[in-house]
Amino acid sequence: VDGAQGGQTAALWSSPACPCWATLDARLAAAGISAKQVSVVWLKHADASPIAGWPVYAQTLRNEMATMMSLLAARFPKLRMVYLSSRIYAGYATSALNPEPYAFEGAFSVRWLIEDQMRGTGGLAYGPGDNTIAWLAWGPYLWADGTTPRSDGLTWTCSDLSSSDGTHPSASGQQKVAQMLLTFFQTDSTARAWYLAR
């Protein structure tokens, strides 16, 4: 079930009063899915118009996502796995919505969140039973430095980003993200067994 909602930032999702949660509930219900059936989440978040320097924004995003983990645990008692991804490249941004270096720095937010769970700190300890924080892991890493290829060849060109803001992916950018997500779920050792069995 696609829970993504335009304009709903990490700061908003980290509040239990955000209407985004009711929208998610409605989408689950429309798909015939109960809260007790939700066992896996892929989560990618950012905030609008960050202005704090390093590392303040990255720490803020990490804290917002940590709060989301508690909210997810309370809403979905059988949630066992949350895969986390950070943003795509934002070096072509034409607005202050979420430009570089904030898109790049979001990966540190994800890293710190996972490290906190590994250390059992920050209220993120993982354990058996209902209503506990899900196991956190990296999902596909979506960032690459523009047209400079990563080791796997990933690049982001201007045409991969929307001409309206240079921040949201265009059709070709959406296809890249979708393919990376599909490949991850089909090949990752923790995901392929349940994904390919569906």
Side-chain angles (χ1 to χ4, degrees):
V1 176
D2 184 0
Q5 300 164 44
Q8 302 302 296
T9 64
L12 296 173
W13 278 96
S14 63
S15 168
C18 180
C20 52
W21 292 105
T23 299
L24 176 58
D25 290 342
R27 290 182 184 178
L28 288 168
I33 305 292
S34 77
K36 290 185 177 181
Q37 290 177 290
V38 176
S39 58
V40 179
V41 168
W42 174 60
L43 190 139
K44 179 178 79 71
H45 268 295
D47 279 313
S49 305
I51 57 171
W54 173 261
V56 176
Y57 168 67
Q59 291 169 336
T60 298
L61 181 59
R62 176 255 169 239
N63 294 340
E64 291 165 346
M65 290 192 295
T67 299
M68 279 183 250
M69 295 308 108
S70 294
L71 294 173
L72 286 167
R75 296 179 75 87
F76 306 117
K78 300 295 185 185
L79 181 62
R80 295 294 176 256
M81 307 169 94
V82 175
Y83 295 99
L84 302 158
S85 293
S86 54
R87 289 233 23 245
I88 63 174
Y89 181 65
Y92 306 120
T94 57
S95 76
L97 182 59
N98 195 277
E100 294 296 343
Y102 300 107
F104 174 76
E105 291 174 0
F108 287 91
S109 308
V110 171
R111 174 182 170 173
W112 296 334
L113 196 69
I114 294 169
E115 286 177 341
D116 283 346
Q117 185 173 74
M118 292 171 67
R119 287 190 288 262
T121 60
L124 295 166
Y126 172 73
D130 291 350
N131 301 314
T132 61
I133 301 299
W135 177 75
L136 307 178
W138 280 99
Y141 182 61
L142 309 176
W143 194 91
D145 191 7
T147 56
T148 302
R150 289 192 330 195
S151 61
D152 62 359
L154 177 67
T155 61
W156 291 100
T157 65
C158 283
S159 63
D160 290 326
L161 285 298
S162 167
S163 60
S164 65
D165 62 12
T167 301
H168 292 93
S170 65
S172 64
Q174 291 171 17
Q175 184 60 39
K176 281 186 178 184
V177 172
Q179 188 57 57
M180 284 187 280
L181 187 58
L182 179 62
T183 298
F184 175 83
F185 285 131
Q186 289 177 334
T187 61
D188 181 79
S189 62
T190 67
R192 62 178 180 242
W194 60 262
Y195 183 80
L196 296 176
R198 62 182 179 86

